[in-house]
Amino acid sequence: MNGSGLTPTGRLTAGVERRRPPLVEATPQTFSRYGQVVMPMEDGLPFGPDDAQLDLSRGTPRFYSMQLFNRGTVFRHITRHRQVTQCLGSMLGTTWKIGVAEADDHSDTPRLETIATFLVPGDRFIKLDRGTWHAGPYFAADSALFYNLELSDTNVTDHQTCDLAETFGVEFEFQPAATA
């Protein structure tokens, strides 16, 4: 298998249901259950509610560039970080996709009914609330550059992943982006 739930012949893994939630454009309103969408703003404005509301208090911040390679359109793993907010954005204006599920400190797995998929235009970035489950970024190009703000040890000490296919018997596929 190739990690997408497909066998080498392209068939779905037996017993795994593929779900295709609607792809919603990430805006401050549509994404509010999961974090923030930070839109471009005029330079020099004072700090306010439209700025990323960060929690980097539990360690040393790490702001870095990631080169990612196309992962297809299906996800069956989703991850969360309980100790930090996380910011993700494309560096060259690439439009991208992300799957998310609401944070829930009382459960070791995401609630399937809260999983949603978003299209993030390249003119904005997202801030994930602490504990928000996420899968992505996903994109159409062979590779893309992204920036990531988290803590220096997030991927070592604060990285919980759920295998959705193994735990719930489901995987998720991103719908194609609507064309204008």
Side-chain angles (χ1 to χ4, degrees):
M1 288 207 310
N2 63 12
S4 71
L6 298 177
T7 65
T9 61
R11 291 176 295 170
L12 283 174
T13 306
V16 176
E17 173 193 351
R18 179 166 294 170
R19 296 186 181 178
R20 295 174 178 92
L23 187 62
V24 177
E25 183 176 330
T27 68
Q29 297 75 30
T30 62
F31 199 76
S32 63
R33 291 172 61 185
Y34 310 99
Q36 285 179 273
V37 171
V38 180
M39 303 295 292
M41 63 182 75
E42 182 182 334
D43 186 33
L45 295 176
F47 179 78
D50 294 333
D51 291 291
Q53 305 297 305
L54 304 174
D55 180 357
L56 301 169
S57 64
R58 296 179 175 145
T60 302
R62 179 183 184 204
F63 183 59
Y64 64 102
S65 171
M66 307 183 297
Q67 182 174 15
L68 301 177
F69 297 91
N70 189 315
R71 302 175 187 173
T73 60
V74 175
F75 67 92
R76 55 174 32 204
H77 295 93
I78 195 163
T79 298
R80 72 173 168 186
H81 312 299
R82 292 181 174 193
Q83 301 301 313
V84 65
T85 55
Q86 181 180 18
C87 292
L88 293 167
S90 68
M91 292 180 61
L92 301 174
T94 302
T95 295
W96 53 287
K97 300 172 186 176
I98 190 165
V100 291
E102 286 182 351
D104 181 356
D105 287 335
H106 304 292
S107 178
D108 285 333
T109 59
R111 293 189 329 267
L112 290 181
E113 67 274 10
T114 71
I115 293 180
T117 57
F118 288 91
L119 181 71
V120 185
D123 66 345
R124 61 199 71 176
F125 69 90
I126 62 168
K127 187 271 305 185
L128 298 168
D129 286 341
R130 280 188 311 105
T132 297
W133 295 90
H134 56 285
Y138 287 79
F139 45 89
D142 290 338
S143 68
L145 298 173
F146 290 84
Y147 57 84
N148 188 353
L149 175 62
E150 56 189 16
L151 296 180
S152 61
D153 63 351
T154 292
N155 289 319
V156 175
T157 64
D158 186 26
H159 192 270
Q160 180 184 5
T161 299
C162 177
D163 183 326
L164 297 166
E166 182 179 297
T167 304
F168 299 108
V170 299
E171 62 186 16
F172 291 84
E173 182 174 23
F174 290 101
Q175 294 290 333
T179 55

